Amino acid sequence: MSERGDRAVGPRPVTTQTRRDAVADELRRAILAGELRAGERVREVHVAQRLGVSRPTLREAVYQLIHEGLLEQQPYRGVVVRVIDEKFITDIAAVRVALETLAARAVADDPDGSRKARLNTAWQEYRAAHTSQDAARLHQAHVALHRTIWDASDNSMLKRLWPTVEAQINVAITVDESARSDPDRALHVHERLIEAILGGDHAAIEAEVERHTRASADELLDILAARKELGDSAGSA
């Protein structure tokens, strides 16, 4: 799998019944856990053997993660783990603040109640996922909640843009969840956002989207920087 040779950490075998999504989930987990490091090559034969899957299935999962932005194809090197750096996180946050504010305001300006009803359904599903303590289910509900804000806006351009940016938003959310490991905080942050949208006050919506997205991204960068500093200190000790 890596240029450092076989080792105990890294992607773990999955059952032969699983397909692309399970392989993609395991590779994503290994990347975000730091078991596959930025710039590290993902060697097809080794990975397929390690996971116990066919090479075509692995390729499908790799293509999915390339689309998401976790992996990238480099000339002469092949597929490598992409660096999720400060610029990636801040760029995604900037886009989300602009577009999700627009979407959230459109949901709040609900002409017949259907937009808010769709958002409330997604919110109840998120709360149920939080109660289940199933990390995978909670992640899916998290992404679905934001997708619903865009979709329920009934803005045709926002609905067309979502598939273009969903993969990158998914990565940003996954990095945040992995770094914090605090689902209770996430619940309260989303609760404030949903209450602002359902309340209909545009100023409150703008403030909560800013807090939810850009301020959270700044906090995330501080967390990652502190961990890197701690790791560098430990390595030099």
Side-chain angles (χ1 to χ4, degrees), residues 12-185:
R12 300 167 298 193
V14 296
T15 66
T16 56
Q17 288 75 29
T18 59
R19 296 180 182 272
R20 181 196 67 183
D21 289 344
V23 176
D25 286 346
E26 177 56 23
L27 289 174
R28 189 184 298 109
R29 182 206 63 78
I31 292 168
L32 296 173
E35 296 171 7
L36 291 173
R37 300 178 183 177
E40 183 172 339
R41 282 183 61 196
V42 178
R43 302 167 104 177
E44 185 178 293
V45 174
H46 189 94
V47 174
Q49 291 176 346
R50 186 112 187 201
L51 297 180
V53 297
S54 68
R55 292 171 66 181
T57 297
L58 174 65
R59 284 193 205 107
E60 290 180 359
V62 166
Y63 292 150
Q64 179 177 326
L65 295 189
I66 289 175
H67 173 67
E68 291 182 11
L70 284 174
L71 299 175
E72 62 181 346
Q73 184 86 39
Q74 290 187 353
Y76 310 112
R77 293 202 66 211
V79 177
V80 301
V81 179
R82 180 179 175 180
V83 177
I84 305 300
D85 57 12
E86 179 177 348
K87 188 174 189 304
F88 177 90
I89 293 172
T90 56
D91 284 352
I92 291 297
V95 169
R96 289 183 63 192
V97 166
L99 297 183
E100 287 192 19
T101 297
L102 179 62
R105 289 175 61 173
V107 174
D109 296 339
D110 191 347
D112 59 11
S114 62
R115 298 178 185 179
K116 290 182 179 179
R118 289 163 65 186
L119 177 60
N120 190 55
T121 296
W123 170 233
Q124 296 309 318
E125 291 173 354
Y126 180 95
R127 293 180 62 184
H130 173 269
T131 301
S132 74
Q133 299 184 348
D134 182 328
R137 178 183 172 187
L138 183 57
H139 173 76
Q140 293 171 357
H142 187 172
V143 176
L145 181 61
H146 287 281
R147 183 189 305 117
T148 299
I149 294 173
W150 289 53
D151 190 57
S153 72
D154 283 338
N155 181 307
S156 60
M157 185 57 68
L158 286 174
K159 293 169 76 169
R160 289 176 61 186
L161 283 172
W162 173 264
T164 303
V165 299
E166 180 177 12
Q168 287 71 38
I169 291 176
N170 191 354
V171 170
I173 287 174
T174 305
V175 171
D176 188 273
E177 290 171 343
S178 176
R180 297 180 195 273
S181 298
D182 190 352
D184 289 340
R185 173 197 172 276

